[in-house]
Amino acid sequence: MNLLESVGAGLRDMGSNKGRSVITMIGIVLGVASVVAVLSLMQGGQAQTEAYFEELGGLREIRITNQRTNRIFMTAAERASERLTYRDAQAIRFECPSVSYVDPEISRYLTVSYKDKTFQMRVLGTTADYVFADSMPVAEGRFITDRDLDTYANVIMMGPTYRDDLFGDEDWRGKQVLVEGIPFTVVGIMEKKEFYFRGGGGERNVLEWFNRGHYIPITTMIRRFTVDDQLGGLEISAKTVELVPTLMEETRTVLSRRHGVEDFDLASKSEQVQQRAEQEAFFNIIFWVIAFISLFVGGVVIANIMLSSITERIREIGVRKAIGASSRDVFIEFLVEALVVTSVGGAVGLGVGYGLVKLMETALIMPMAFSPSILVLAFLTSVAVGIIFGMFPALRAARLDPVEALRYQ
Amino acid sequence: MLIAVDGLTRTYDLGEAKVHALRGVDLAVEAGEYLAIMGPSGSGKSTLMHILGCLDTPSTGRYVLGGEEVSSLTGRELAKVRNRRIGFVFQNFNLLPRIDLVANVALPLVYHGSVSKAERLGRAAKQLEELGLGHRLKHRPNELSGGERQRAAIARALINEPSILLADEPTGNLDSKTGREIMDILDGLSAAGKTVCLVTHDANVAEHAGRTVHMQDGAIAREDFS
Ligand SMILES: Nc1ncnc2c1ncn2[C@@H]1O[C@H](COP(=O)(O)OP(=O)(O)O)[C@@H](O)[C@H]1O
Ligand SMILES: [Mg+2]
């Protein structure tokens, strides 16, 4: 009997035992559906994490922060240190060969007014590198330039959210606003930044924060609005992802020399991505366990139903052997039958899994990805279950002694 | 000589007790012979038929079928012998209940391996027509009378053109009129040159055969020629 005919016979057999086949398939359907769900959840989660970090300037970034130490416990050297300053940022820019962008930030809430409108707004003193380092695109006009920094220019770049509040329908070009009473020329508007994290039952723009800021040269900020040049944040990025560890060492050397003590922390984005991936992997284990249990239960059900169907069919096996079926023929017939059931179950499971993916995506707002490789992999698991759990019953059938089998009542 | 068995024994080991179903059977069957095996219940007729049909293997003794020593064949080779050289007819027909008559009759050709599906079904239909079942091709076994079922079983036994037809009480489950119909078929096959070997309780049935072997307690007690 060739394979195609065995498959045909298996399908006919399924058709003639619909109740049995449905029960057999439920486990496989659920198992394969959860495999589909897990795989697309994993792919989706990973894609989302990567996209998020990409949006924030990629994996080349290192964040430098002041170490938080209670003043009481500080050593003399720590007390003497000025903490992270704009001069530190300049030193890194000129002394670290692996650095590409240096993005120091000092932010203050300042009064910004235009005509009769006055708001208390977050203003960020920064450099020309900011747009590159944080991949912040400019929507209209221009960003702060090196020349602005050198000349302590009174220029302001506005975030998109407050633009309407200040200017309404008016064109912003050529307008001046007062920052703490000092006139600043508006030179551009930032693009709206959006990233919607799915999960936890809703969607929100986690980057809206960025849309609510205004930007001025950091040198202007220091000269006009702050008492010293201590930084609120400092982010730098390496020329390539591979250079991140090198840059961390270079930075550590430069800053330790300048501060006389290591009172700062360095954290790379790739470490954060790693941590996040580990958290997600743990979350996915739950789904793997569900998938494994359903496939296992499905397999055991198949094995049992096949074993009981063998009992029903002992005489049939005896007859087949009496007219010339070898043990191998019988083995193949029963294994193919198991494979037909699991494959049909697997195919249905792919459909159910796809539905599950869509449901989780819309109802639970989970990040899901769906690709042909997921379908192939999930289908292969159903085939594997058929082989593994069909093997034992098929062997039992194959080993039956023909005379005993024919005598069986 | 088509069949030669020599000192055949078959012992069932039931742990404590041993059942000696055959205690040394010597038998020769010529090609084209029509042989009946008679004997009381439990005398070992079926056991002998199973061994002759390569469904079972002897505990000791030699079995030569068509010049080939069968006792030394592997399971797979025995399956091939059952498939191509032996046609077996059972008392209770043993048709597969879930497939129709053509499929039942074509089944040995399926295990033969090299016959296309169209040819298999064609040959099965022709075989059934020859046995007067041309109008029953698509029926399932349970839709047929006992006599029709046994005729289908004979058709299945003949499909691979075996060198010998073995029938273990082929009329045992049939009324006497239907039994006579089946015997007419076996007579016809024998007349056409087929080697036929049948087991029966019924002396009237045994009369059809050219030779009758009487068994007693797992051994051949005597032989009659008619
Ligand atoms: N599988 C078996 N296990 C034990 N004893 C068996 C088995 N098969 C047959 N026998 C015994 O072997 C003897 C011969 O049986 P059998 O060949 O079926 O007799 P017959 O067909 O002449 O009625 C009987 O005593 C029977 O009980
Ligand atoms: Mg018997």
Side-chain angles (χ1 to χ4, degrees):
Chain A
M1 175 141 34
N2 68 38
L3 205 63
L4 208 68
E5 287 173 32
S6 304
V7 170
L11 282 172
R12 264 195 307 283
D13 193 63
M14 258 177 65
S16 62
N17 279 286
K18 288 195 189 64
R20 190 185 84 190
S21 306
V22 166
I23 296 170
T24 316
M25 275 194 293
I26 287 175
I28 300 297
V29 169
L30 291 181
V32 169
S34 19
V35 169
V36 169
V38 183
L39 290 177
S40 70
L41 197 65
M42 274 170 69
Q43 277 194 8
Q46 188 164 347
Q48 173 167 275
T49 306
E50 277 166 17
Y52 176 69
F53 281 100
E54 203 47 58
E55 191 66 27
L56 284 180
L59 300 173
R60 295 180 293 147
E61 281 200 357
I62 298 168
R63 183 190 295 273
I64 307 166
T65 49
N66 286 312
Q67 229 169 48
R68 289 190 196 283
T69 319
N70 192 321
R71 274 197 78 83
I72 300 167
F73 302 113
M74 276 187 180
T75 62
E78 280 171 340
R79 265 175 229 265
S81 165
E82 287 181 277
R83 318 290 279 172
L84 290 170
T85 63
Y86 180 55
R87 281 160 294 145
D88 287 333
Q90 295 292 79
I92 291 169
R93 186 202 291 266
F94 295 118
E95 292 176 40
C96 296
S98 311
V99 79
S100 67
Y101 307 127
V102 177
D103 174 25
E105 291 173 21
I106 300 175
S107 75
R108 288 289 183 275
Y109 279 85
L110 302 174
T111 321
V112 179
S113 52
Y114 176 70
K115 290 186 178 164
D116 55 340
K117 287 170 224 157
T118 301
F119 294 95
Q120 193 72 17
M121 287 173 175
R122 191 170 65 93
V123 178
L124 206 65
T126 185
T127 69
D129 278 0
Y130 181 81
V131 260
F132 307 110
D134 276 352
S135 58
M136 299 284 293
V138 171
E140 298 166 40
R142 65 163 178 87
F143 198 71
I144 293 154
T145 61
D146 284 337
R147 202 180 132 69
D148 292 332
L149 288 157
D150 293 343
T151 59
Y152 305 91
N154 289 346
V155 290
I156 185 163
M157 176 80 189
M158 308 202 87
T161 301
Y162 288 134
R163 165 213 163 136
D164 294 344
D165 296 338
L166 281 172
F167 297 116
D169 292 337
E170 275 185 70
D171 188 5
W172 58 270
R173 272 167 243 270
K175 297 280 164 23
Q176 286 199 324
V177 295
L178 297 176
V179 180
E180 298 287 326
I182 302 163
F184 274 68
T185 305
V186 181
V187 291
I189 306 289
M190 297 301 285
E191 198 163 273
K192 192 168 158 68
K193 218 165 157 59
E194 292 173 286
F195 193 89
Y196 294 94
F197 244 119
R198 322 196 96 208
E203 277 187 71
R204 62 194 181 86
N205 183 1
V206 289
L207 300 181
E208 173 58 18
W209 165 259
F210 287 91
N211 300 329
R212 295 170 184 270
H214 301 302
Y215 306 86
I216 62 173
I218 192 167
T219 50
T220 313
M221 174 70 99
I222 292 164
R223 170 170 289 187
R224 306 239 179 231
F225 305 119
T226 66
V227 290
D228 54 29
D229 66 344
Q230 279 195 359
L231 299 178
L234 177 56
E235 282 183 6
I236 60 177
S237 69
K239 285 181 171 139
T240 65
V241 176
E242 292 72 34
L243 279 174
V244 166
T246 315
L247 180 58
M248 284 178 85
E249 271 326 294
E250 291 168 0
T251 311
R252 197 183 302 279
T253 310
V254 169
L255 291 181
S256 298
R257 193 196 68 230
R258 292 178 56 81
H259 292 194
V261 62
E262 203 172 298
D263 58 350
F264 51 87
D265 287 315
L266 300 173
S268 72
K269 277 278 162 64
S270 44
E271 284 168 359
Q272 296 173 32
V273 171
Q274 191 68 34
Q275 281 171 9
R276 214 185 163 92
E278 278 162 17
Q279 285 169 8
E280 272 164 15
F282 178 76
F283 177 64
N284 287 330
I285 280 176
I286 299 167
F287 284 86
W288 279 119
V289 168
I290 293 172
F292 180 80
I293 290 176
S294 348
L295 284 173
F296 186 80
V297 169
V300 169
V301 168
I302 284 185
N304 272 304
I305 289 185
M306 275 187 70
L307 283 174
S308 76
S309 97
I310 284 171
T311 313
E312 273 168 33
R313 290 161 65 184
I314 283 180
R315 283 181 68 91
E316 175 189 328
I317 295 162
V319 171
R320 286 177 185 274
K321 285 195 155 184
I323 60 173
S326 63
S327 298
R328 189 164 153 273
D329 290 327
V330 174
F331 177 77
I332 290 173
E333 264 176 61
F334 274 81
L335 194 63
V336 166
E337 211 169 280
L339 278 175
V340 167
V341 174
T342 51
S343 301
V344 172
V348 176
L350 293 183
V352 174
Y354 183 75
L356 198 64
V357 166
K358 288 289 149 206
L359 191 77
M360 286 167 79
E361 204 165 28
T362 51
L364 300 175
I365 325 249
M366 304 279 250
M368 310 295 279
F370 204 72
S371 69
S373 66
I374 289 178
L375 293 181
V376 172
L377 210 66
F379 188 72
L380 286 182
T381 54
S382 71
V383 173
V385 166
I387 291 175
I388 292 167
F389 290 91
M391 192 84 84
F392 175 65
L395 266 180
R396 275 253 328 239
R399 285 199 182 135
L400 283 175
D401 174 70
V403 175
E404 296 284 326
L406 283 169
R407 201 188 291 273
Y408 188 85
Q409 290 311 314
Chain B
M1 195 79 67
L2 181 62
I3 283 177
V5 300
D6 192 12
L8 217 57
T9 70
R10 179 69 169 94
T11 307
Y12 293 102
D13 195 345
L14 302 179
E16 291 154 35
K18 282 191 167 49
V19 179
H20 299 279
L22 295 179
R23 299 167 184 270
V25 172
D26 302 328
L27 180 70
V29 182
E30 299 285 351
E33 227 188 314
Y34 194 175
L35 179 79
I37 299 174
M38 287 192 75
S41 186
S43 57
K45 307 180 296 292
S46 292
T47 307
L48 178 61
M49 287 297 263
H50 290 148
I51 291 173
L52 294 182
C54 291
L55 287 164
D56 196 6
T57 46
S59 303
T60 63
R62 267 159 47 90
Y63 173 21
V64 177
L65 173 66
E68 190 178 10
E69 174 81 56
V70 169
S71 357
S72 62
L73 296 181
T74 64
R76 204 152 163 216
E77 289 164 334
L78 285 174
K80 203 165 160 184
V81 171
R82 291 198 293 270
N83 184 238
R84 308 202 178 168
R85 287 157 66 187
I86 289 161
F88 212 108
V89 176
F90 303 90
Q91 180 176 359
N92 53 5
F93 326 126
N94 276 335
L95 297 168
L96 299 192
R98 285 182 294 164
I99 54 179
D100 61 26
L101 280 201
V102 204
N104 262 290
V105 173
L107 209 52
L109 294 172
V110 168
Y111 295 114
H112 188 284
S114 54
V115 190
S116 77
K117 187 169 186 183
E119 190 189 339
R120 290 199 308 250
L121 296 181
R123 273 169 67 179
K126 190 159 163 281
Q127 192 71 62
L128 281 164
E129 274 157 24
E130 278 175 19
L131 290 169
L133 289 170
H135 57 304
R136 293 280 191 248
L137 299 183
K138 291 287 161 198
H139 287 248
R140 300 244 175 136
N142 63 4
E143 296 161 358
L144 304 177
S145 72
E148 285 174 319
R149 288 186 214 185
Q150 194 59 300
R151 271 190 278 159
I154 292 170
R156 181 180 66 188
L158 293 173
I159 192 80
N160 258 337
E161 290 160 6
S163 45
I164 185 165
L165 191 68
L166 301 173
D168 191 352
E169 305 199 32
T171 60
N173 274 13
L174 304 173
D175 61 62
S176 53
K177 181 173 166 287
T178 325
R180 274 197 297 281
E181 280 171 27
I182 295 300
M183 288 315 297
D184 286 346
I185 292 170
L186 295 182
D187 291 353
L189 289 168
S190 173
K194 187 71 70 189
T195 313
V196 178
C197 178
L198 67 87
V199 166
T200 183
H201 269 116
D202 187 343
N204 295 327
V205 168
E207 260 171 25
H208 290 253
R211 173 160 69 120
T212 303
V213 169
H214 293 270
M215 288 190 73
Q216 189 84 49
D217 282 338
I220 293 176
R222 68 189 162 86
E223 294 190 18
D224 292 339
F225 294 86
S226 59

